[in-house]
Amino acid sequence: MKSFKKLFTSKPKTHNPQSSFKIGGMGSLKVLDVIPSPEDDSHKLKKAFQGFGTDEDAIIEILGHRDANQRKKIRETYHQLYNETLIDALKSELSGDFGKAVILWTYDPSERDARLANEALKSKKKGIKHLEIIVEMSCASSPQHVVAVRQAYCTLFDHSVEEDIVASLPPPLRKILVGLVTSYRYDKEVVDTDVANLEADRLHEAIKTKDFAHDDVVFILSTRNFYQLRTTFACYKKKHGNPIDKDIEKSGKGDLESLLRMVILCIDSPEKHFAEVVGTSIIGLGTDEDSLTRAIISRAEIDMMKVKSEYLNIYKSSLDDAVTGDTSGDYRNFLVTLLGGKI
C-alpha cells in the first residue's frame, strides 16, 4: 500500500549525518563502517512497516546501505523473527517503481536475475531489448553467477532457462542465447594471441557471409574467457580495419545482428553497455524505469563507478544528475542512495 506518512505523520528521518561509509571496489554502494546486527535491522524494518503509513526513509537507509551478503542475513533473520518473508512484507507495503526497485535489490542477485529473465522470456511484446537481461547475466557476470542464476531459475519455475529460451525464441536467436547461458568460462586472465588471430578471421568470415549463427561464432563467443575475447576483438580491428560491432552493424539491422552487437559490447566493455542502458532509458520522451532500475541495481556493487565514467564520456553529462533529473520521490531517493549520493 502506498504510504501517507509524509502528509500525516512526523516520524523523524533515520539518517544519521555522523554515520561513516565505505565503498568497495568499483561499486557505488556505500556500506556503513560499523554494521548493525541483522536482528537490529530486522526490528527497524518491522517498525517501518507498522503503524499508519510506511517509513520509506528507514527502508532506504537500511537496505540501501547493505551489500548482498548483509541483505541475505537480514532476509533470513527477518523470516526467523516474524514468520514471514521480508520480500512479502515489502510487497505488502510498497508499490510502483520504488517498490519494484527495493524488492529487486532485496532478492539474492541470482534469484533477481532468474526472475527478470523469466519475465523477459514470458513477455508478449518480446524484442531484442527485452533479452538484455539474458545477455547481461551471461556476458557481464562471473561464471559462478551464471550457474547460480540457472539453478535459481529451475528452483523457481520448475524448468530451465534453456527450455524457455528454446520455447519462446526463433532458432538463430535461441542458438546463440542457449550457448551463452550454458557456458562456464574460465575466469582468469589467460590469453593466446595465436588463437585470437585465428578466431578473429573466423568471425570476419562469418560476418562477411552473414552467417551470424555459425557454429564457430557460437563456440567462440560462448566458450572463450572474457580476456581472450577482448584480445580477439582487438585483433579483428587490427586485421580487418573496423571494430567487429561496426562490421556487424553494416551487415544489417535485424534482430540477430542487434543481439550479436549487444553480446560483443557486454563482453568487450560492460561499463559502456550499462552506461548506454541508463542513457537510452532516460533520454527522450518518457522514462524506461525497468531498464534504469535493472542497470543501477545490477551494477551498484560491481562497477558503477566505471559506468558513471563511461556515461560521462558518451553523453558529456553526469549519470547521477541525469537520474536525479528524470526520477522523483522515494524511487529517486533509493536510486541516488545506490549510486552513492546523498538524499
Side-chain angles (χ1 to χ4, degrees):
M1 60 186 172
K2 207 65 176 172
S3 168
F4 297 96
K5 171 187 68 85
K6 290 182 173 63
L7 291 176
F8 299 111
T9 68
S10 58
K11 285 184 181 178
K13 287 180 178 284
T14 55
H15 175 65
N16 179 2
Q18 302 302 317
S19 297
S20 56
F21 298 93
K22 59 183 177 182
I23 301 177
M26 293 304 296
S28 58
L29 178 68
K30 289 185 176 180
V31 178
L32 287 165
D33 284 331
V34 180
I35 301 294
S37 69
E39 290 80 9
D40 284 346
D41 281 341
S42 295
H43 289 317
K44 289 176 183 176
L45 286 169
K46 185 66 172 178
K47 184 178 179 181
F49 302 148
Q50 292 175 330
F52 186 72
T54 305
D55 188 349
E56 291 94 341
D57 293 328
I59 295 169
I60 295 171
E61 183 68 22
I62 296 167
L63 295 177
H65 293 297
R66 303 293 184 271
D67 64 26
N69 287 329
Q70 292 157 357
R71 298 195 303 275
K72 178 181 178 181
K73 291 177 182 177
I74 294 171
R75 289 197 310 271
E76 294 170 345
T77 303
Y78 191 95
H79 194 194
Q80 292 168 358
L81 289 173
Y82 302 112
N83 199 32
E84 71 169 339
T85 70
L86 178 57
I87 296 294
D88 285 344
L90 290 168
K91 285 180 178 178
S92 70
E93 294 293 327
L94 307 179
S95 62
D97 295 317
F98 173 59
K100 185 180 293 186
V102 172
I103 289 164
L104 284 174
W105 177 251
T106 305
Y107 279 129
D108 182 86
S110 60
E111 181 176 351
R112 174 200 70 213
D113 284 358
R115 290 183 179 277
L116 288 173
N118 180 261
E119 183 179 305
L121 291 169
K122 297 302 181 185
S123 173
K124 292 182 179 179
K125 54 178 182 178
K126 225 185 315 303
I128 292 304
K129 185 164 182 60
H130 285 79
L131 301 177
E132 277 182 332
I133 175 59
I134 300 173
V135 174
E136 290 164 2
M137 75 186 202
S138 305
C139 301
S141 303
S142 70
Q144 295 81 8
H145 179 70
V146 180
V147 170
V149 173
R150 291 172 62 201
Q151 290 172 333
Y153 198 102
C154 288
T155 300
L156 290 167
F157 306 112
D158 293 327
H159 42 84
S160 69
V161 64
E162 302 95 298
E163 289 176 286
D164 281 351
I165 289 172
V166 170
S168 60
L169 296 175
L173 299 182
R174 72 191 189 203
K175 180 178 180 180
I176 292 172
L177 289 177
V178 167
L180 292 174
V181 301
T182 56
S183 172
Y184 189 84
R185 306 174 192 272
Y186 188 65
D187 63 351
K188 300 295 189 295
E189 190 170 355
V190 176
V191 173
D192 186 321
T193 53
D194 291 336
V195 170
N197 276 292
L198 177 63
E199 294 187 340
D201 289 339
R202 289 181 178 174
L203 291 171
H204 183 260
E205 182 64 25
I207 293 168
K208 187 171 68 173
T209 59
K210 298 189 177 183
D211 193 2
F212 300 114
H214 190 280
D215 288 349
D216 284 349
V217 176
V218 176
F219 174 80
I220 292 166
L221 294 179
S222 64
T223 63
R224 299 306 188 197
N225 74 69
F226 294 140
Y227 303 99
Q228 179 70 35
L229 285 169
R230 288 164 192 157
T231 302
T232 299
F233 301 155
C235 289
Y236 184 104
K237 182 179 180 180
K238 184 176 180 180
K239 296 183 75 171
H240 302 292
N242 289 318
I244 184 171
D245 60 307
K246 296 299 182 184
D247 276 353
I248 294 171
E249 187 175 13
K250 286 194 299 183
S251 296
K253 306 280 188 181
D255 285 350
L256 187 55
E257 293 92 336
S258 297
L259 178 67
L260 273 178
R261 283 190 285 111
M262 188 192 302
V263 168
I264 287 165
L265 182 57
C266 262
I267 292 171
D268 198 36
S269 180
E271 58 271 18
K272 184 176 181 180
H273 166 79
F274 283 101
E276 291 184 355
V277 170
V278 172
T280 55
S281 71
I282 60 181
I283 293 172
L285 292 175
T287 303
D288 179 359
E289 288 87 359
D290 288 346
S291 294
L292 178 61
T293 297
R294 188 188 75 249
I296 293 176
I297 283 176
S298 62
R299 308 313 284 190
E301 296 181 82
I302 300 174
D303 60 357
M304 182 50 71
M305 302 308 290
K306 289 183 178 180
V307 175
K308 290 183 182 187
S309 177
E310 195 61 47
Y311 187 96
L312 181 62
N313 183 51
I314 296 171
Y315 299 104
K316 311 306 178 188
S317 61
S318 160
L319 185 151
D320 295 60
D321 289 346
V323 171
T324 300
D326 216 63
T327 56
S328 61
D330 295 315
Y331 177 57
R332 176 178 60 196
N333 290 343
F334 186 60
L335 294 187
V336 168
T337 298
L338 297 186
L339 290 171
K342 294 181 180 180
I343 60 174

